[in-house]
Amino acid sequence: NAEAKTIPLQIDGAKLSTSMVVTDNWRYIVHAVDADGVEVKTEEASIRVRRDQSPRVWFEKPTEELEVHTLAEVMMRVRTSDDFGLSNAGIVFEINNESSHTLHYEDFAKAAEEAGDVDSPLKTNTILEKLLPLEFFELTQRDSVSYFAFAEDNYPDGAHRTETELRFIDIRPFRQRYQLVDMEDPMGMPGGVSVPDQPNRHPAANT
């Protein structure tokens, strides 16, 4: 058992108050003496400490395997949550594994500060939505598009950050050409089958 400690309280009429940093579970009683010298003790109460958890973030849209043409507009829909409060969250994408681009970013802590609402709890869950306009990047079938989402909480000693796994968008042509390939079956009868031209696959990406 931990050694008992005495913490002085501030008296404001009939109200008693104090402030302290709590890092472990506590049990406590309030001991006071009224103006007539009578001692007063409350029943034992407790404070339970819950460890801060990292935020959660996941995609609702698009589906994990997505194939679109070069002029598509891809809807990105992300959900985030945290046990105590979200500081910021965003969606990031890359073209051909080169520099990253932020598609969408929200700073909840800054928004609360600008609104003069710093004493209110931050959001514990939210949804991010944004269209990714592929037409803007003049892509071809050989290009690779990858993306992920992230969220950070408001942990005082340093934000906890969570990222989704890297996801990919396959680029397909507007049209597929087919060619007739002559084949000979096991009985020696000539025949043919139509197969599509095979598009080039995206280069492998490191995750």
Side-chain angles (χ1 to χ4, degrees), residues 120-164:
S120 298
L122 292 175
K123 292 183 178 181
T124 56
N125 59 80
T126 192
I127 298 175
L128 307 180
E129 274 190 334
K130 194 72 173 181
L131 278 175
L132 174 58
L134 296 180
E135 180 181 9
F136 178 80
F137 301 99
E138 300 180 349
L139 301 175
T140 70
Q141 190 181 353
R142 296 179 180 275
D143 291 317
S144 170
V145 181
S146 57
Y147 62 97
F148 67 93
F150 68 89
E152 294 185 354
D153 65 12
N154 64 334
Y155 189 64
D157 292 338
H160 295 143
R161 180 184 174 100
T162 301
E163 296 182 356
T164 66

Side-chain angles (χ1 to χ4, degrees), residues 5-20:
K5 297 180 180 179
T6 300
I7 298 176
L9 302 177
Q10 295 178 348
I11 302 174
D12 182 10
K15 295 181 180 180
L16 305 176
S17 64
T18 189
S19 61
M20 55 189 174

Side-chain angles (χ1 to χ4, degrees), residues 53-58 78-83 86 89 124-126 150-153 160-164:
Q53 303 295 315
S54 296
R56 298 176 62 231
V57 56
W58 67 97
V78 174
R79 280 190 178 270
T80 64
S81 65
D82 187 67
D83 48 358
L86 292 162
T124 56
N125 59 80
T126 192
F150 68 89
E152 294 185 354
D153 65 12
H160 295 143
R161 180 184 174 100
T162 301
E163 296 182 356
T164 66

